[in-house]
Amino acid sequence: MQRSKIKWLFLLLISLNVFTTSAQNKTSEETYDIFDKKQREAMLLKEQGMDGVMITKQDDTLKCLVRLPSGSLNDLYYMAYKKGSDSTIEVKENEIKSITTAYFYIERIYVGGKEKLMFLVAGGKITLYSYAKDYRVLYVAVKNNKYLEINKKTFKVLLRHLTFDYPELVKKIDKRGYEYDDIIKIINEYNKRFQ
């Protein structure tokens, strides 16, 4: 019984492969594709997307599906729904103010003369956001409504400046040999102190 199912599945896969190959050979200049990129992504969103809430720059609150296949905002896919409806509405990426899911929060931050969507990674007296650029993780810290972009070269100086009101932590930053990858840990320790 099991072998007949496997044979049937194998034959089905072969026939689908033959169908796809013959369909792709219809034109020599283009490969034939049943769905365009937008349709494929919509199907993947419905299958693998996370439920979320999107807030636009116009302060509209919309239900949405979100997918981050690589974990990077460079690969952000989303589908927003009209209020009180199952039909979708187009929202351009630059119109998104924030997206909330059960697993992450993304917010548009203005830093370095540009707006960027970033992940919230720590909240409290210092709020920390992260984003990826050229295969590097970069951070933006917000304290007293001042936004500071943190990179590998400046992180210790900026962290000392940000945490000056917690002298014990400043000493740890100087003595412990913290690395750039410890930024979240340092900010969480600082925020825990001021809860």
Side-chain angles (χ1 to χ4, degrees):
M1 181 73 172
Q2 188 69 12
R3 283 188 173 188
S4 65
K5 285 183 182 178
I6 292 171
K7 284 182 184 178
W8 180 83
L9 182 60
F10 181 74
L11 290 172
L12 178 64
L13 290 172
I14 288 174
S15 66
L16 287 174
N17 190 24
V18 169
F19 172 76
T20 304
T21 303
S22 65
Q24 287 177 340
N25 290 333
K26 283 185 179 180
T27 63
S28 58
E29 296 173 9
E30 303 176 348
T31 56
Y32 177 77
D33 196 358
I34 296 173
F35 302 106
D36 67 16
K37 185 177 179 180
K38 205 170 191 177
Q39 289 171 320
R40 277 194 310 274
E41 192 50 50
M43 290 168 44
L44 284 170
L45 274 166
K46 289 178 180 175
E47 291 174 13
Q48 302 169 0
M50 294 176 267
D51 290 327
V53 175
M54 176 186 294
I55 298 177
T56 67
K57 286 183 176 178
Q58 294 77 30
D59 288 326
D60 292 327
T61 302
L62 306 169
K63 285 195 262 181
C64 65
L65 286 174
V66 182
R67 194 168 86 85
L68 288 166
S70 70
S72 167
L73 290 175
N74 297 332
D75 291 330
L76 173 67
Y77 298 99
Y78 57 89
M79 179 186 302
Y81 293 95
K82 290 180 182 176
K83 289 183 180 180
S85 173
D86 286 339
S87 59
T88 61
I89 184 172
E90 183 177 348
V91 177
K92 294 182 178 168
E93 189 269 334
N94 64 355
E95 296 173 356
I96 298 172
K97 186 176 183 180
S98 67
I99 296 176
T100 305
T101 73
Y103 301 101
F104 57 82
Y105 175 75
I106 300 169
E107 186 174 343
R108 182 169 301 284
I109 302 296
Y110 187 81
V111 66
K114 295 181 180 178
E115 289 184 335
K116 297 177 179 130
L117 282 176
M118 298 184 201
F119 287 106
L120 174 70
V121 292
K125 192 170 179 181
I126 298 175
T127 304
L128 188 66
Y129 296 93
S130 74
Y131 66 101
K133 181 180 179 183
D134 300 327
Y135 302 103
R136 296 175 296 144
V137 176
L138 300 171
Y139 296 96
V140 173
V142 183
K143 184 178 181 185
N144 300 327
N145 291 321
K146 292 185 178 142
Y147 293 75
L148 295 171
E149 196 163 14
I150 301 173
N151 60 46
K152 273 190 172 184
K153 291 179 182 176
T154 63
F155 85 96
K156 282 192 177 186
V157 172
L158 290 175
L159 286 177
R160 278 191 230 108
H161 173 72
L162 286 167
T163 61
F164 76 94
D165 50 349
Y166 185 4
E168 295 86 4
L169 184 57
V170 173
K171 287 177 188 174
K172 284 183 184 180
I173 292 168
D174 288 336
K175 292 183 181 179
R176 267 211 187 150
Y178 279 121
E179 299 294 324
Y180 184 71
D181 295 336
D182 297 320
I183 290 175
I184 297 171
K185 179 181 174 181
I186 294 166
I187 298 299
N188 281 333
E189 183 177 340
Y190 176 87
N191 286 337
K192 188 175 179 182
R193 165 76 192 264
F194 291 99
Q195 282 184 336

